[in-house]
Every structure is written in C-alpha cells, then in structure tokens.
Amino acid sequence: MAIKRVGVLTSGGDASGMNAAVRAVVRTALDRGLEIFGIYEGFCGLIEGGDRIRPMTWNSVGGIIHRGGTIIGTSRSAEFATRRGRLCAARTLLAAGIDSLIVIGGDGSLTGADVFRQEWASLLAELVANGVVEPDVAARHPRLTVVGLVGSIDNDAFGTDMTIGADTALHRITEAIDAISSTASSHRRTFVVEVMGRHCGYLALMSAIATGADWVFTPESPPETDDWATEMITALNAGREAGRRDAMVIVAEGATDRRGHPITSEHLRKVLETGLTESVRVTVLGHVQRGGAPSAFDRNLGTLMGHAAMDTLLAGAADQESQVIGMRGNRVVRIPLAECVSKTREINALLEAQQYSRARELRGNSFNTALRTLQTLLRALPHPPQAGQRRLRLCILNVGAPAPGMNTAVRAAVRIAIDQGHTILGIRRGFQGLIDDDIQEMAWMSVNGWAPLGGSELGTNRVVPSGRDFYAIAKAIEKHRIEGLLIVGGWEGYQGAYRLFEERANFPAFEVPIVCLPATIDNNLPGTELSIGADTALNSIVTVVDKIKQSAVAERRCYVVEVMGWRCGYLALMSGLATGAERVYLHEEGVTLKSMKEDLDVLVRGFQNGKRLGLVIRNEKANPTCNTAFMCALFEEESGGAFDVRQSILGHLQQGGDPSPFDRIQATKLARRGGPADGAARVVDASPVPGRASPDHCGGPGDPHFKVPSRAGIRVEWAAPNSVLVAGRDCPVAGNSFGHRSRWRRGRPHAVVFVPLHRHPE
Ligand code: ATP
Ligand code: MG
C-alpha cells in the first residue's frame, strides 16, 4: 500500500539542526504529494494524541532552519518504554491514519521506535481484540515503517560520521575554550574544562585539537599507565618551560582511568594543584553545549538527512526493517536501525568492560585519525633528535588569499616537524618570500597560540613564480639547503608548485618533495572535496544572511546576496541550502534570461500570495553580463511593484574570522598527513622517479590532500591532469570534469526541492 500519511517527531535530548531535519522531512513529503504530520513532544505526544498530532504545511516549517532546539518539542517518556504506552501510541497513529514514522533522536529514541515497529502487529491485534479499533482499520495498516535520523550532540552513533548537533556543540565548546584561553594566558593559569560525552570522547577530542589544548581525557582512550598524573604534569611543566603562558586540560564527563575509575574535573583540579603548585580553575560547560543557532554544517546535515529519510520511505527501503540515515565520507547512506543501535550500545558495553581498543575500532576511521593526530601533537614537544635520525630542512609557506585555518595548519606542521628533529623554515608572503629570501627558522614558540587565529601569520599573497623568479627561488633553496616544500594555500599555491615541478629540468634545486595542503574558502581545488577555510566562510555567510533576513523590516522585500567562490558554486549552493534561499545561481549552471524570467514570475506570484521575504544567493562569477547589480535592477523593475530588491555583496568578511572547529581539525589532520613528519620526509628518502598521478588518484574526504600514486618514490604529489593546470585560473571548476564530478554538487537536487514556489504557492 502506498504511503499516504507520515508522522515526524523529535525525541530524547534536543540537538541543533533538528529543525532543519524537520523542515526537510516536511517539505520533501509535500513535494512528493504526501500528507505529513508533526507529532509534538516526542513519544509523549504519540501517547497523548489529540492536538499533539498536527498536519504540517509548507509554511509550518518556514523560518525555523536557523533556530536551535526543535520547534515540535521533545521529551523523554517513561510510558513509551512500556507496552501499555505503546498501545496508546498505536491507537493514536491509527486514529490519524499514519503508519510511517520519521524519528529524530538518540539511540534510546531509535530503539523505542524500532521496538514499536516490531510490536506493531501484536499491538493492533490487542487493540482489535479489546474493541478499541475496528478490524478493517487495523487491516489497512498492516505494518509500521520507521526511518531514524540520529540527533545527538555526542556524535556517539555507529554507522554515521556525524550526528545532527555535534558540529554545533563543537562550535559552542570552541568559542568557550577560546575565551577561557585568553584569560588563562593573561594570568598564566591552568584550566580544566569539562565537556559533555558520557560514553563518547568525540567532543573532548575534537575540541582539544581545535583549541590546541595541552592534555585530554576521553572514555575511549584512558591513560595507559596508573601514574598518569605524573605524566601529565611533566608534559605541562615542559610546556611552561618552553614558554607557554597557559595550560588547558579537557576532560569528557565520562572519562575514566584504565581500570574504569572516573576521572572527574574536580579530581583533576586537585591533582594539578599539587603537581603544578599553582591555582587551577575548573569550568564545566554544561548545557551551553546544546544551545544556540545551528552551524552551517548541522543545517545542511539535517536537510540532507531529512530529505534522504523521506526518499528511503518512498523507495520502500524501510518496509522490512527500520533504517537509519547516516553520513559517511560526505555521502548520505542508510543502515539498518538495529545495527546502528546495537553497535552503538556495544561500544558503550565495551567501554564498561574496559575493552578500550575494540571500542575505539568501532568508533571508525575519522575518530581514530583524530585521536592519532592529537596524540602526536600532545607528544610533540621540543626535544633533541634520536640518534641516527635523519634531520631534514623543510620550509613552509602560505600562498593565495587568506583562508581561515592556514595558521592552524602551519602550527601543527611546525610542531610536528620540530618534534621529529627536523628544522623548519617559515617563508613570509608566499613565493615572494622565497624570491626575496625572506626566510626564518621557526621555533617551537613561534607558532604559539596560532591554532585559533584567522588570517595568515606567515603572510600570504597570490604571486605565482615565473621567468626570473625561478632562478631566485632555486638560489634560496640552495642557500638554505631546503629539502622539502610544504605549501598551505589555494589555487596559486597549486599553480606555483606545478611550475616548480615543470622547471625541474632547468633547476635541479626543485627536485625536492613539494606537498600542497588545500586552503581556500572557494573550495575550488582539485583532489579534495573540502579545503581548509571553506567551512568557516560558509558559517560567516550563514551568520550574516541570518542577520540580513532579520533586518527585513519592510514587507515584500527580496535580497540578492553575492558570495565568493570564484568559479566554484560551493559557497553559494551550501549557504543557499543552510539559509533557506529561494534560488541559487552558480557559475557551473550559468544564468539565462529565460531562467531569470521564470524565477521572477515565481517570485512575483509568491509575493502576491503573501510572501514577505525573498532570498536569492548568487556566486560572484555566476555570469559576467548578468552581474549582481543588473540582476537586482531587473528584478526590481520587472516585479511590477510586487516587491522591492536589495543587493548585498558580502565581500572580504568571507575570508576573515577565526577558523571554525571543522577547519581547525581539518587543517591539523592534513598537516599531520601531508606535512613534513608524515609526507615529505618519507618521500624525500625514496628514489627519485618524477611523475604524477591521474585524476583517479584524487583523495577522498578522509584523504583530501594530493595522494602519492602507488609507485613508490614519486616526488611531487599532484593529482590533477596536466591540461587542467595549464589551462588557466580556476578552470578545474569552470569547464572540465572536476566541478561536475565533485560530490558537493550532490546537494543540488535538494536545493531544487527547496525552491518552494513553483509547486507550493501557499
Ligand atoms: P540522548 O541520549 O541523545 O539524549 P535518546 O533518544 O537516546 O537521546 P533516551 O532518553 O535514551 O534519549 O530515549 C528517549 C525516549 O525513547 C525514552 O524516554 C523512551 O520513551 C524511549 N525509549 C528508549 N529506550 C526504549 C526502549 N528500549 N523501548 C521503548 N522505548 C524506549
Ligand atoms: Mg541516549
């Protein structure tokens, strides 16, 4: 039987981004011609029925995407955990004619929903036997279909890289720790910060990476020895001796020692005060971690998952077995609900049984990469090289426009290199610094406090070497005996690297490993799905557009917002999704008069039908003729007075700001992978076989920097084909397959669905 009526509910602890998911569920359902009901107050509403079950319209979920929490309410219901409670719930659903549920909540809520589905037939039989429900009503709903979305700030679910709300929580934690850090360093103080996570160290681990914390305790990775206190204090004292002004210890609320005894923040305070003989402050972050406006990532995660949940229902993929929508490697996936819940619980049980390494394994790849990265960084302290170790002279530079996270990457790379006994030279102002010989050795403390800093402390510019520059650069490389080049930057950095590679025949000095770390807000680089800086820019855009929308005191106004991205539509599309824009214009799709006319007609009709606010987001290079000013003028003139138009060109604020937690984590992971410790140093020892990879070798999201091809000894990590690189600026996204292959554009169909006016002119 075709699904006709679907219910959506949120349950358990609230999480930012749940509203985006509800909105996507409702609008996708309406788009597909279904009836959709909001079940208010979670499972409690299901039991109570009545006006807790309300039909949802396109407008019921308007203006909620930017709000934290859940507008349909949530609860914990002891009654639903009993069969009697679920009997009431079944009766409610039958009365409303609903036999499909989309449940957004944690493991408890998903389990509850699955139990309900399994019992459905027997619940109905009981209701019929008791005369509460007519047999033919029961017969019309032979099964209950359940699709779950994991909404949980802890990011503790098996089967998905991210849960709805975790990224926003990380934003709150990072903001708090950044603020605490400045007071801590003013007073030379030590702080213990306790973050949420009873069974899962995700928030503690990631916030420690993002803020450059000095020590961390998580449930999955307890200290390896019983005398962990001495180890910690030695490390913190060493940091102090190196010149650090503050010390930050992060502890997850569920952290334990290796015997399973809790390590609490209060216990840590005592231990640290004794060991460090200085006053130690404790901050327990508590519920602020749940609150606030959802990050761009959580809005888009909720949206993509909500959309996928409805598709899963419609495809019948959940008919036999409840499914959970997850995200793996930037792709939406579905997994059996039972597996998601049982594996999640298995991890908790393993932790209780102190089987930590198996528990870590189940946490998945990205968790473990982050853990290794952090362990490397915590261990990293200036110390003499080991006997017989080869010491390299490596250099690091930023190239291209500033991207938030560049400093984070440089900091991590410098410290890892020094920790491994290498010498690392900082080059100021990109390739110009190499040309002008503006090069200085970096010390441990040169990068102190860089993790949360926006901009580029090294200095960056867009110079791509050519002509006589090569001679100057070769001279600098020889003079400083540089044995490897790490470029953290955007398209100009990649071009520069490639030019050096091409000039190897003329300048043997260039026969050194060159590694590029993708850092640009435009997200237009080949070989990676996400570059450092793009997430921060997206959040900056979303924050500003939220404000612009609120400024609409005048009725019937349409904003045309122009965002950066050069010829890559990533920022425009993703910010359009995250802010609920009516229309996005991308360079990849172009702008035609015909499409603009259609959009205009739709807007006019919308405003005539009571619409108050319109939002159009366009990429800066969407079309050279039809630029933003022209588009605004045209819309205004052709609106026939139905609405007025304001343009907003966001400009350089998109390149500024402190890096988001995601960008800091990405930068740190990449610096570890592609940086001197892990990448160049190894490659320089290999036999020289110049060559380059094919586009098939482009790294995936977990491996976003250029990948070394399988043949050992290749010296330049270079993933894009020749033609792309010589064809000119930004052509990877402009004309060739890269832009079309790139996975972020999979968001496009969703954006189309959420262009509401064509089909839903309420
Ligand atoms: P979080 O733990 O992230 O805050 P959660 O969804 O896991 O969210 P819980 O309090 O564990 O939160 O569960 C929410 C509700 O789900 C419970 O109050 C209960 O109504 C229902 N539930 C949980 N477990 C079961 C179960 N085994 N059977 C039936 N219902 C359950
Ligand atoms: Mg739970």
Side-chain angles (χ1 to χ4, degrees), residues 738-756:
F738 169 69
H740 300 284
R741 271 193 307 135
S742 88
R743 288 184 208 149
W744 61 262
R745 292 197 70 214
R746 290 170 190 228
R748 189 71 183 111
H750 305 101
V752 173
V753 168
F754 297 112
V755 174

Side-chain angles (χ1 to χ4, degrees), residues 228-285:
W228 51 267
T230 308
E231 198 189 338
M232 169 176 69
I233 283 160
T234 311
L236 294 185
N237 276 329
R240 276 273 197 262
E241 270 158 36
R244 235 177 251 168
R245 290 188 56 85
D246 62 334
M248 190 69 62
V249 175
I250 297 178
V251 56
E253 58 181 338
T256 65
D257 66 16
R258 65 188 181 131
R259 299 178 195 283
H261 304 129
I263 297 180
T264 64
S265 47
E266 201 37 43
H267 180 51
L268 282 172
R269 187 182 62 77
K270 288 183 192 136
V271 167
L272 287 165
E273 276 187 347
T274 315
L276 296 174
T277 60
E278 64 183 43
S279 84
V280 175
R281 303 292 151 101
V282 173
T283 302
V284 179
L285 290 182

Side-chain angles (χ1 to χ4, degrees), residues 171-193:
H171 274 258
R172 295 296 97 78
I173 295 170
T174 308
E175 285 154 14
I177 297 179
D178 284 353
I180 293 170
S181 290
S182 58
T183 162
S185 88
S186 307
H187 292 274
R188 294 176 54 83
R189 247 180 211 148
T190 297
F191 267 84
V192 176
V193 178

Side-chain angles (χ1 to χ4, degrees), residues 615-637:
L615 176 63
V616 171
I617 295 191
R618 55 166 289 151
N619 157 273
E620 58 186 347
K621 300 278 176 206
N623 185 290
T625 316
C626 180
N627 58 25
T628 304
F630 174 73
M631 191 177 261
C632 288
L634 186 81
F635 276 20
E636 175 119 14
E637 186 162 324

Side-chain angles (χ1 to χ4, degrees), residues 493-503 514 692 716 718 720-723 725-726:
Y494 282 44
Q495 275 183 309
Y498 190 65
R499 295 241 171 111
L500 297 188
F501 173 77
E502 280 187 320
E503 291 291 331
I514 304 172
R692 66 185 81 95
V716 173
W718 194 256
N722 219 347
S723 56
L725 293 157
V726 292

Side-chain angles (χ1 to χ4, degrees), residues 381-387 389 391 418-421:
L381 270 179
H383 65 243
Q386 288 159 7
Q389 184 195 334
R391 303 187 69 178
I418 293 176
D419 178 57
Q420 308 226 333

Side-chain angles (χ1 to χ4, degrees), residues 509-554:
F510 299 159
E511 293 260 344
V512 294
I514 304 172
V515 178
C516 293
L517 294 198
T520 167
I521 67 160
D522 295 337
N523 204 25
N524 61 349
L525 296 172
T528 182
E529 285 181 17
L530 280 173
S531 49
I532 299 164
D535 183 63
T536 308
L538 197 53
N539 277 294
S540 302
I541 294 169
V542 165
T543 309
V544 175
V545 172
D546 283 352
K547 288 181 185 164
I548 290 174
K549 285 171 82 172
Q550 284 173 351
S551 79
V553 279

